[in-house]
Amino acid sequence: MKVKKIKWFRLLLLGVVLVASPYSVASLSSGNQLSFQQTDNWQSWRKVGEAQLSILFFDIYQSKLLSPTGIYQQQTLDVSPHPLALSIEYQRNITQDQLLDATYEQWLKLGYREQDAKRWIAQLSVIFPNIKSGQKLTYITNGETGQFVYSPLPSTSRQIGTISDERLNDAFLSIWLSPKTEYADLRRQLIGMKR
């Protein structure tokens, strides 16, 4: 019974890794200000795919992947070779600590070095908040850098954090988009693959 609970909890946490704090709007890396000219109109992009994560009778989140063309094309190990937006509408509450723990665990499972994962978690800790059911978070990337957009209500959205490290950008999206992800069915649905 304990093993089933742990597995369910890890699945629950996977859906909340995109969370960012409404209190942080600064770039996470020192120096570079990010240019998001390629991603300014992300709301009008086409849907690549979508997936609903449910465990037993519990809906966890609805996720959607968008791109300017409606197509996702991975190139070798680069999971974000072109502009993408990964939007998740949450159907459960979760704490910041749970989000950070789940993110760290997924990176280790994907084979990232513990040293890198700890450094990235420290950066994300200034962005991830507690999240409530019904809130939406979107991570938008131009293929190298990214930004978090938080929608606490359906009619409100604001940028709440940026990622200027290309390795962190790819590591973050790898949780959902890497061929090595723990959640292969979810990935197939998001990238528009037929079963």
Side-chain angles (χ1 to χ4, degrees), residues 17 31 50 70 93 96 118 121 150 156 164 189 191:
V17 234
E50 61 187 342
N93 298 342
Q96 179 195 56
K118 285 181 178 178
I121 287 297
Y150 173 59
T156 60
S164 58
Q189 293 173 50
I191 66 173

Side-chain angles (χ1 to χ4, degrees), residues 19-66:
V19 177
S21 169
Y23 307 110
S24 171
V25 293
S27 173
L28 294 178
S29 291
S30 59
N32 299 339
Q33 288 296 333
L34 303 180
S35 171
F36 292 105
Q37 294 174 347
Q38 294 178 329
T39 61
D40 284 345
N41 64 341
W42 68 269
Q43 295 94 334
S44 64
W45 291 355
R46 300 163 114 185
K47 182 174 69 174
V48 176
E50 61 187 342
Q52 171 68 49
L53 180 63
S54 299
I55 309 296
L56 300 174
F57 302 106
F58 300 102
D59 291 334
I60 309 303
Y61 65 81
Q62 175 74 39
S63 56
K64 187 183 302 185
L65 186 66
L66 308 168

Side-chain angles (χ1 to χ4, degrees), residues 31-184:
N32 299 339
Q33 288 296 333
L34 303 180
S35 171
F36 292 105
Q37 294 174 347
Q38 294 178 329
T39 61
D40 284 345
N41 64 341
W42 68 269
Q43 295 94 334
S44 64
W45 291 355
R46 300 163 114 185
K47 182 174 69 174
V48 176
E50 61 187 342
Q52 171 68 49
L53 180 63
S54 299
I55 309 296
L56 300 174
F57 302 106
F58 300 102
D59 291 334
I60 309 303
Y61 65 81
Q62 175 74 39
S63 56
K64 187 183 302 185
L65 186 66
L66 308 168
S67 78
T69 63
I71 297 170
Y72 172 73
Q73 298 175 327
Q74 182 172 339
Q75 298 173 357
T76 60
L77 299 178
D78 187 359
V79 297
S80 62
H82 54 78
L84 296 171
L86 179 62
S87 185
I88 295 185
E89 182 173 340
Y90 297 92
Q91 297 155 315
R92 294 275 166 219
N93 298 342
I94 194 152
T95 68
Q96 179 195 56
D97 287 341
Q98 291 168 328
L99 293 173
L100 294 169
D101 289 346
T103 303
Y104 181 76
E105 181 182 334
Q106 288 302 312
W107 281 336
L108 294 183
K109 287 182 179 185
L110 284 166
Y112 289 100
R113 295 183 324 157
E114 187 175 339
Q115 175 183 342
D116 291 331
K118 285 181 178 178
R119 181 170 40 87
W120 295 334
I121 287 297
Q123 292 176 10
L124 294 179
S125 69
V126 301
I127 296 178
F128 286 4
N130 298 316
I131 189 155
K132 305 289 185 204
S133 176
Q135 295 179 340
K136 186 185 290 187
L137 288 148
T138 304
Y139 184 71
I140 304 124
T141 178
N142 61 15
E144 297 176 3
T145 59
Q147 62 181 315
F148 291 97
V149 172
Y150 173 59
S151 302
L153 299 169
S155 59
T156 60
S157 293
R158 64 183 180 272
Q159 179 184 327
I160 55 169
T162 59
I163 301 293
S164 58
D165 178 346
E166 186 174 2
R167 289 192 65 227
L168 175 52
N169 175 75
D170 282 351
F172 186 76
L173 289 169
S174 288
I175 294 170
W176 291 269
L177 301 179
S178 169
K180 298 189 297 185
T181 182
E182 185 176 357
Y183 307 100

